[in-house]
Amino acid sequence: MAKLVIYNHGKDSIPWGEKPLALAQAAKQQGFEFISPDYRPGNEPDIRVRQLLAIDVSAYQTVVLAGSSMGGYVATVAAENIQPQGLFLIAPAFYLPGYARTTFNPAAADIEVFHGWQDNVVPPENVWRFCQTHHARLNMRDADHRLLSILPEMQQNFADFLQRY
């Protein structure tokens, strides 16, 4: 049974920084392949969505989309078409100026979100609004936008999230 996680990095991040490396380790332990596309050439969120939608996931029985900040937005918008089993979002960039979408219809039954109370990029109320609308599990922590201070906890939670598949 082929299983895949596609991680979507943030606007000023890299495909294989601390978060994706930690999540990749958890995914591999759960029997998932893990890819992290390089979105650095384009900082326009909807161009990134098109890049994600161009990935052929037809060979996989289980697909999980993960994303941080702009990557969370990208994963959520693409989830409408990809229809992943799970959506794991880290400080997703929702309801911000410059992002085309303000309504979301992610076709994922299982959505989990990590966000920091000290996030000065994406206000916590934006994430609360999304989670309330989509009945997503929200994990609020005393952390900043990058959430690196809680990376070990998030990595374990991601492993637990993937264990359901």
Side-chain angles (χ1 to χ4, degrees), residues 57-118:
V57 298
S58 62
Y60 298 92
Q61 292 173 311
T62 302
V63 175
V64 171
L65 298 180
S68 180
S69 194
M70 183 187 283
Y73 170 94
V74 169
T76 302
V77 173
E80 295 177 16
N81 291 318
I82 294 174
Q83 300 182 355
Q85 280 71 25
L87 195 53
F88 192 88
L89 307 173
I90 304 163
F94 293 146
Y95 315 114
L96 296 178
Y99 287 74
R101 299 287 296 276
T102 57
T103 58
F104 304 96
N105 299 297
D110 195 7
I111 304 172
E112 187 148 354
V113 180
F114 267 82
H115 202 79
W117 285 114
Q118 310 308 319

Side-chain angles (χ1 to χ4, degrees), residues 112-143:
E112 187 148 354
V113 180
F114 267 82
H115 202 79
W117 285 114
Q118 310 308 319
D119 192 326
N120 61 0
V121 176
V122 181
E125 56 268 22
N126 292 19
V127 174
W128 167 251
R129 176 180 162 193
F130 172 85
C131 290
Q132 187 177 29
T133 301
H134 298 285
H135 306 276
R137 281 182 305 286
L138 176 58
N139 301 282
M140 290 298 300
R141 299 293 184 268
D142 189 16

